[in-house]
Amino acid sequence: MPTLTDVQRGALGAATAMFCVGTLTGVSPALHDYPVYGGQAVRYLVGALLLLAVAQVLGKGPIRLTRREVLFLAALALTGLTAFNVLVVESTRFADPATVGTVVAAVPIVLALLGPVVERRRPAPRVLAASVVVVAGVAVTSGFGGGSPLGLLLAFGALACEAGFSLLALPVLGRLGAIRVSAYSAALAVPQLVVVGLVVDGPDLVRVPTAAEALALGYLAVVVTVFAFLCWYSSLPRLGADRAGLFSGFLPVGAVVSTVVLGTGQPHLADLVGAALVLVGLAIGLRPARRREPPVPALSSPRRR
């Protein structure tokens, strides 16, 4: 039975991770009445505890961190988790959710440009072109909305934070591994979100959830945090940030599927066209580069005697 290559494993993991994150759209309505930042803090707390338990079982328990690793993990939690959540929530107050989603969906282009720089190699033109196609597919799926300059500014801030979720993990994944990076970043995000929640919601930071809210929070903790984080951070070293970023195109696919399964929406023609564009972009970006054949040396003319 043929085994999967590293690239195929990375592709499967990245696609699964982004699909799971996309299902947030279908689950989120159950949490509309729950405090936003308190709910996120609970989600990451449960996720971090589960990840630490898994790490212990697999013999990958806590290790001594260097100062550099602590800085990268703290920055990852602050940008990729805490600030991203804050900016997305606040941007939707001043811009249409579709506009915010379309701006954030440009992350493949950012990763196609900056990912190779972090990994000390040149950006691949083919991957950059593929990322443009993927972003176009996501834009078609999400649609274009409107908003104020402040809303767009906050959305671009969320885009930068989304890129930081991958770029800041690359320098520490080699020694720490996917499980520890996922667990530590989730744990560090908890106090950060608690501080934000206390400022925004005060004493109403958390409350006892209803049954539906508890199920939704559990889903976010187990599937979108534990499972998706592990899939994503396991795929990054295999694909590189630029090619892994292409799979963010699976976010709207997960959103469409989850809304259909949960009965909260039906796919439209734009959803199908956008998904097709995403698949085209992935095919372009993941196609193996052609190896240049060495030039054949010219035959020298025989010397005249």
Side-chain angles (χ1 to χ4, degrees):
M1 184 176 179
T3 58
L4 295 176
T5 65
D6 267 357
V7 172
Q8 289 171 334
R9 290 177 185 274
L12 180 61
T16 302
M18 291 296 101
F19 181 90
C20 290
V21 174
T23 61
L24 272 167
T25 302
V27 177
S28 293
L31 294 170
H32 279 172
D33 296 327
Y34 197 85
V36 174
Y37 302 114
Q40 292 298 316
V42 170
R43 161 200 173 182
Y44 288 126
L45 175 61
V46 175
L49 292 175
L50 289 173
L51 284 163
L52 290 172
V54 171
Q56 196 67 37
V57 170
L58 297 179
K60 300 189 181 206
I63 60 175
R64 186 181 181 86
L65 300 176
T66 65
R67 183 179 300 178
R68 175 176 174 274
E69 288 168 341
V70 171
L71 289 175
F72 270 103
L73 288 170
L76 168 59
L78 181 61
T79 58
L81 303 182
T82 303
F84 177 78
N85 279 287
V86 172
L87 289 170
V88 167
V89 171
E90 296 304 321
S91 63
T92 55
R93 301 181 192 275
F94 304 97
D96 291 345
T99 302
V100 175
T102 302
V103 170
V104 174
V107 70
I109 295 178
V110 178
L111 293 180
L113 289 171
L114 298 183
V117 175
V118 173
E119 296 168 336
R120 298 182 180 180
R121 55 186 174 86
R122 291 183 178 180
R126 176 171 46 83
V127 176
L128 181 58
S131 68
V132 174
V133 177
V134 170
V135 169
V138 175
V140 170
T141 303
S142 302
F144 293 95
S148 67
L150 177 58
L152 291 175
L153 181 63
L154 293 172
F156 277 106
L159 168 62
C161 291
E162 177 68 6
F165 181 73
S166 297
L167 297 177
L168 291 170
L170 285 171
V172 295
L173 272 171
R175 192 176 88 91
L176 299 183
I179 295 180
R180 293 191 185 100
V181 171
S182 300
Y184 296 165
S185 59
L188 287 168
V190 174
Q192 297 170 358
L193 284 162
V194 168
V195 170
V196 176
L198 287 173
V199 172
V200 175
D201 298 317
D204 297 325
L205 171 66
V206 291
R207 60 170 173 78
V208 177
T210 64
E213 290 170 342
L215 284 174
L217 288 171
Y219 180 87
L220 295 184
V222 175
V223 177
V224 183
T225 302
V226 176
F227 183 62
F229 277 31
L230 287 178
C231 287
W232 184 252
Y233 284 140
S234 297
S235 300
L236 269 181
R238 292 188 168 108
L239 296 174
D242 51 351
R243 289 196 294 178
L246 297 175
F247 287 88
S248 63
F250 273 85
L251 282 164
V253 178
V256 170
V257 172
S258 63
T259 54
V260 171
V261 171
L262 296 175
T264 56
Q266 292 294 328
H268 301 287
L269 178 60
D271 299 319
L272 302 178
V273 172
L277 282 172
V278 168
L279 293 176
V280 170
L282 289 172
I284 295 172
L286 295 177
R287 186 179 58 189
R290 292 182 180 178
R291 293 183 179 179
R292 293 184 179 178
E293 297 293 335
V296 178
L299 295 175
S300 58
S301 58
R303 294 181 181 179
R304 292 182 181 178
R305 293 182 180 177

